[in-house]
Amino acid sequence: QAWLAPVALAVGIASAFAWSRNATLEFDPEETVARHAGNFPPEIKSGDDPADLDQFFRRNLRYEIGIPRPATAEQAGLRFVGARLSNIASRDVAYLMYDRRGARVSLFAFRRPNDADFTPPVHFRAREIAGRSVAMGRHRGYNVVAWARGPLQYSIVSDVDDDSVLDLVTWVP
């Protein structure tokens, strides 16, 4: 009977691992809002070559993210300010910074752990924008939009009005 304890422990660990691989990931806007409000300086600046931005994220994230090109952003009325790496919930995150008529706009992109299902906070409302299911809400005075596409999760944080922040979803490839 001494062998029962190690077997029970092993079964428990295996069960927890299997559950975590199929778990949902509830989006918590606090960390993206905190990064946006912190107004951290960019590591890659707007004047740098756009190829530098791609190489920077490819080297540091090791996965592809859909990021708006500066020309695409300009079509949406945005000016690309810069980008940096950040960390949210122990995950490396691409953090892109834009300006829209004096308002700061932050775009975050990261890989969801184990392709977990995306679950928005209960106080966010679901919307359909350009064929994407997004969750939108306010957190600490900022508008936040979040959505998942493939293995990635995206979030936009800004103080621009509701309709404008929803329009910004369409320029993310």
Side-chain angles (χ1 to χ4, degrees):
Q1 291 183 357
W3 58 272
L4 282 177
V7 170
L9 180 62
V11 168
I13 290 171
S15 297
F17 179 74
W19 174 82
S20 69
R21 292 191 53 83
N22 296 319
T24 60
L25 173 68
E26 181 173 333
F27 172 69
D28 179 3
E30 178 57 33
E31 291 191 76
T32 55
V33 167
R35 300 304 178 280
H36 174 79
N39 199 18
F40 298 104
E43 294 172 280
I44 298 285
K45 296 189 169 115
S46 62
D48 294 341
D49 184 346
D52 291 345
L53 182 64
D54 289 332
Q55 184 179 16
F56 175 74
F57 284 130
R58 219 175 302 116
R59 182 178 62 243
N60 291 292
L61 294 177
R62 295 180 193 79
Y63 55 85
E64 292 287 322
I65 58 169
I67 55 175
R69 308 281 25 113
T72 306
E74 287 172 12
Q75 292 169 359
L78 295 167
R79 182 180 60 81
F80 177 69
V81 173
R84 66 177 295 117
L85 290 177
S86 192
N87 189 285
I88 294 176
S90 301
R91 290 183 301 278
D92 291 329
V93 175
Y95 174 10
L96 293 103
M97 303 160 212
Y98 299 88
D99 177 274
R100 183 170 195 182
R101 297 181 204 108
R104 288 185 310 111
V105 176
S106 297
L107 170 67
F108 300 90
F110 61 91
R111 181 177 283 284
R112 289 177 287 133
N114 303 319
D115 295 328
D117 291 333
F118 170 74
T119 303
V122 293
H123 66 283
F124 274 40
R125 63 188 182 281
R127 301 284 299 267
E128 189 74 24
I129 304 296
R132 294 180 183 160
S133 296
V134 303
M136 180 178 185
R138 290 189 61 78
H139 188 76
R140 292 200 299 149
Y142 294 103
N143 282 321
V144 180
V145 178
W147 69 97
R149 190 176 75 229
L152 300 178
Q153 181 172 319
Y154 292 87
S155 178
I156 296 173
V157 179
S158 185
D159 55 359
V160 299
D161 63 80
D162 288 5
D163 290 336
S164 294
V165 81
L166 286 171
D167 286 344
L168 298 178
V169 172
T170 62
W171 54 264
V172 178

